[in-house]
Amino acid sequence: MEIEAAKCECCGLREDCTVEYIAGVKADFGGRWLCGLCSEAVRDENPAFRVADGMRQMLRRRSSDISAPSGAS
Ligand SMILES: [Zn+2]
């Protein structure tokens, strides 16, 4: 079993994975490798070919959470 270091295209996390796993993830996301968390988030919401859009939406959602605190009246 061959192990290689892969870097998440979304959050930059580095993970040691089997070459087979890396190739499988890249096939799913158009040549990009995403870590487990990011790939699950993207898979839940977006078709694989729209990974970049999904990332943008996640970032937008995160920043709107910060700028618009809940319960503010
Ligand atoms: Zn990630």
Side-chain angles (χ1 to χ4, degrees):
M1 201 158 53
E2 227 181 305
I3 303 291
E4 255 183 39
K7 187 182 174 193
C8 177
E9 295 274 340
C10 174
C11 68
L13 180 89
R14 284 175 187 278
E15 226 177 297
D16 289 336
C17 303
T18 65
V19 173
E20 270 183 11
Y21 175 74
I22 292 171
V25 172
K26 281 188 176 178
D28 277 356
F29 297 109
R32 296 183 176 91
W33 189 84
L34 301 179
C35 71
L37 271 180
C38 293
S39 61
E40 264 181 43
V42 169
R43 223 187 292 258
D44 281 351
E45 296 189 15
N46 301 286
F49 59 88
R50 297 194 61 198
V51 169
D53 287 346
M55 294 304 149
R56 232 170 284 148
Q57 282 170 17
M58 283 169 68
L59 289 173
R60 203 177 298 153
R61 198 176 305 155
R62 197 177 299 167
S63 58
S64 70
D65 283 349
I66 293 165
S67 60
S70 58
S73 53

